[in-house]
């Protein structure tokens, strides 16, 4: 054996440092120096027991020669037996995340309180990065680095806020203004009525968004006409008693919708402000939210391509252009903005609308002896009656809204007359209000993670649901045909634009209210050809379905339990309504377009009891895909055994955590001028 180099004390230093780290206590003099304090400081509570042999001290030349002569057997007898001792694991690394200078100064002054009750002071020079111990999953989510351009409490400035506000609302234009283009013609309304309802929608959306950002969850979420209310509204619109009305059918049907929405919204307000929503949150998990929201989009498959097929040369290009912008060109950036992904709907609409105008001007839809402006019910010629559907859906000059609508008009409450209240209609809208609460829960959780803040507490969620009920009452008074709730597309818009500023949403809402005063803006939107509306709605309903399915990422997607619950809920949500629609299609009734047949089950369903109101409720509810998906998923998820990790229960912040966290309290707490009047209402997070 070759002799080792001189020691010079280097190896002994290494051994001493190793002994201090591991807590090893030597039995050989001169091997290392440790004290009992070194062992006590090694976190014995988290230590693990492992076998450990003493480290071999480097041998001198004389010691090496003696060892070689005695042999291996003698060498083994000189060594002490293997000792079992506790070796502590290395401490978890601290989590570093960037914060702005204001947040850093706030933490320096007051500290950051965590779930273990300890307050950690930040170093005085921490401006770019802050190191805070992380103990809970909520803290880990909070510590993730955010790539948002503007977070929830940041103010970009007046001009950037106006531009970003317009960008935010334009990116969601399809969700905001397209519903009136479906329900108003179905109610027998004129083109001018459609323009007025569109202007009213702009007004209500602006007011509801302002209320929500000030008094609701305070997250940067747009409130507007939700697709959740569309199916119940179409069910009421297609009731036989309204189909037989000849005069003022639009106003009488709208009055029925207004009364139903007001009653249902009062129920939603009670659920929120009573604190009942805080208890229901225990049973609303990602496995429940996923199929419920996905079913909202899938339920309208009967309206999509059947209407697009009436004019495929316009409908298919409209759908393909929007999809090309949203998918193939989504990574193209112009001046730092992904304009094709953000403005996919308005850009696609503008391009295809110009193309459709050229087709109309070129005579593609001119038929000999046929006048496109004559209602189909007054057409005598069989040849013209055959082409009437194509002319009404494809021509760009068929609408008279731009000619008949005034330049300025102020939408006001009760503009369609006094609402009528029927428990039959109100019961269906109450189901829609419950589904809207489930939709909003998923949006609150997902958006709170996007804007780099803590998830809201159950009390704050209850307060937001109560405010949504008040917003829907406002929508019922103004008369937009649906309730106003959190739009599901908010999550996608925030993720794409990277703008999560609450002030941007408020300034954009003010612009929307200002635009609602110009009647020609509503008239321009009302002039969109129905086939293009159907193509845009197909893309929007696809987006709603995709956003609903994305909620499953908060659970174990590979779990057979979760996959079966979601799949069964969606399958039965599409299959059961077909069974009920079979009875409606075989009954004697007023002729309606085929895509409205699913909403005529209420009066012709298979359930027959001695109570007409109960028949209406059960037949309608069991023909609504979103209601079936919610019931099945809710029952199965809360009865089939599964761990919290497998189920993926939403992690909501505790009320005390939000109150003690300076940043979270500024994100969610009401303005001081308002909060002082509700300091007693702790169950709604004020």
């Amino acid at each position: 054996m070759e002799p080792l180099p001189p020691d010079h004390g280097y190896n002994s230093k290494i051994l001493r440092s190793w002994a201090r780290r591991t807590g090893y206590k030597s039995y050989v003099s001169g091997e290392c120096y440790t004290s009992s304090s070194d062992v006590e400081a090694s976190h014995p509570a988290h230590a693990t027991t492992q076998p450990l042999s003493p480290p071999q001290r480097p041998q001198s030349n004389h010691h090496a020669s003696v060892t070689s002569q005695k042999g291996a057997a003698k060498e083994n007898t000189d060594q002490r037996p293997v000792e079992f001792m506790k070796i502590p694991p290395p401490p978890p690394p601290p989590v570093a995340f960037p914060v702005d200078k204001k947040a850093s100064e706030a933490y320096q002054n007051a500290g950051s309180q965590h779930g273990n009750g300890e307050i950690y002071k930040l170093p005085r020079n921490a401006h770019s990065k802050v190191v805070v111990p992380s103990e809970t999953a909520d803290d880990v989510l909070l510590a993730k680095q955010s790539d948002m351009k503007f977070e929830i409490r940041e103010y970009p400035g007046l001009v950037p806020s106006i531009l970003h506000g317009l960008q935010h609302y334009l990116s969601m234009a399809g969700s905001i203004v397209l519903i009136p283009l479906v329900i108003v013609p179905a109610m027998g309304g004129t083109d001018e009525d459609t323009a007025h309802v569109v202007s009213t929608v702009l007004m209500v959306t602006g007011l509801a968004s302002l209320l929500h950002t000030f008094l609701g969850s305070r997250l940067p979420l747009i409130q507007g006409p939700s697709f959740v209310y569309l199916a119940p509204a179409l069910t009421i619109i297609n009731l036989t008693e309204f189909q037989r009305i000849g005069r003022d059918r639009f106003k009488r049907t709208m009055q029925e919708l207004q009364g139903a929405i007001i009653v249902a919204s009062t129920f939603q307000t009670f659920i929120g402000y009573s604190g009942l929503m805080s208890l229901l949150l225990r049973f609303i998990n990602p496995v429940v939210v996923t199929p419920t929201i996905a079913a909202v989009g899938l339920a309208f498959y009967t309206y999509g391509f059947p209407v697009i097929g009436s004019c495929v040369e316009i409908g298919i290009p409209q759908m393909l252009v929007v999809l090309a912008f949203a998918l193939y060109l989504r990574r193209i950036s112009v001046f730092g903005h992904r304009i094709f992904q953000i403005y996919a709907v308005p850009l696609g609409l503008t391009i295809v609308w110009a193309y459709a105008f050229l087709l109309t001007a070129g005579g593609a839809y001119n038929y000999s002896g046929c006048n496109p402006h004559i209602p189909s019910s007054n057409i005598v010629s069989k040849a013209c009656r055959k082409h009437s559907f194509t002319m009404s859906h494809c021509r760009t000059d068929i609408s008279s809204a731009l000619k008949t609508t005034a330049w300025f008009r102020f939408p006001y409450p009760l503009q369609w007359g006094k609402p009528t209240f029927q428990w039959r209609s109100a019961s269906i809208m109450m189901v829609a209000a419950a589904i809207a609460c489930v939709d909003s829960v998923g949006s609150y959780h997902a958006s709170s993670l996007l804007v780099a803040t803590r998830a809201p507490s159950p009390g704050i969620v209850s307060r937001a649901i109560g405010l949504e009920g008040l917003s829907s009452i406002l929508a019922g008074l103004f008369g937009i045909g649906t309730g106003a709730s959190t739009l599901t597309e908010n999550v996608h818009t925030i993720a794409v634009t990277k703008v999560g500023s609450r002030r941007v949403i408020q300034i954009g809402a003010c612009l929307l209210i200002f635009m609602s005063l110009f009647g020609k803006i509503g008239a321009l939107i009302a002039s969109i050809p129905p086939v293009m509306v159907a193509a845009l709605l197909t893309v929007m309903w696809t987006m709603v379905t995709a956003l609903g399915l994305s909620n499953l990422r908060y659970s174990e997607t590979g779990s057979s339990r979760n996959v079966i619950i979601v799949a069964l809920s969606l399958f039965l949500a599409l299959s059961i309504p077909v069974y009920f629609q079979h009875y409606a299609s075989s009954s004697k009734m007023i002729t309606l377009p085929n895509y409205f047949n699913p909403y005529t089950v209420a009066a012709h369903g298979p359930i027959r009891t001695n109570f007409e109101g109960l028949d209406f409720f059960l037949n309608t509810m069991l023909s609504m895909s979103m209601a079936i998906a919610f019931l099945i998923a809710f029952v199965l998820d809360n009865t089939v055994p599964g761990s919290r990790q497998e189920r993926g229960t939403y992690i909501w912040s505790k009320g005390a955590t939000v109150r003690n966290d300076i940043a979270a309290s500024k994100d969610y707490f009401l303005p001081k001028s308002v909060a002082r009047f509700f300091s007693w209402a702790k169950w709604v997070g004020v």
Side-chain angles (χ1 to χ4, degrees), residues 137-138 141 445 455-456 644 648-653:
D138 191 27
L141 291 175
H445 188 271
R644 287 177 59 88
T649 53
Y650 287 125
I651 301 175
W652 304 106
S653 300

Side-chain angles (χ1 to χ4, degrees), residues 296-340:
V296 172
L298 293 175
F300 300 104
Y301 69 93
T302 58
Y303 184 87
F305 204 82
V307 180
I308 295 175
S310 64
C311 189
V312 293
E313 63 272 15
I314 295 179
I316 292 181
Q318 176 68 90
M319 186 170 57
L320 293 179
V321 168
V322 175
L323 290 177
F325 287 166
L327 297 178
Y328 292 99
L329 304 180
R330 71 184 189 277
R331 298 188 182 277
I332 296 179
S333 179
V334 179
F335 299 109
H337 297 276
R338 295 184 177 181
I339 59 173
F340 294 106

Side-chain angles (χ1 to χ4, degrees), residues 147-163:
D147 60 349
M148 302 294 292
K149 295 179 181 178
F150 302 102
E151 296 184 2
I152 185 169
R153 288 181 283 112
E154 292 182 334
Y155 177 48
L158 181 59
V159 175
S161 295
I162 293 175
L163 297 178

Side-chain angles (χ1 to χ4, degrees), residues 11 51 98 109 116 118 360 378 400 467 501 538 565 627 652 665 679:
N11 291 325
N109 295 331
N116 56 8
E118 299 181 20
T360 302
N378 298 336
S400 60
L467 198 279
S501 172
T538 300
I565 292 176
W652 304 106
S665 62
S679 58

Side-chain angles (χ1 to χ4, degrees), residues 415-431:
Q415 56 188 331
W416 314 117
K418 182 181 178 181
T420 58
F421 298 93
Q422 298 287 339
W423 286 109
R424 176 185 61 179
S425 303
S427 62
I428 299 302
M429 281 297 177
M430 290 173 69
V431 175

Side-chain angles (χ1 to χ4, degrees), residues 161-176:
S161 295
I162 293 175
L163 297 178
H164 287 299
L166 288 174
Q167 166 187 279
H168 210 89
Y169 284 89
L170 282 176
S171 64
M172 300 180 62
S175 302
I176 296 174

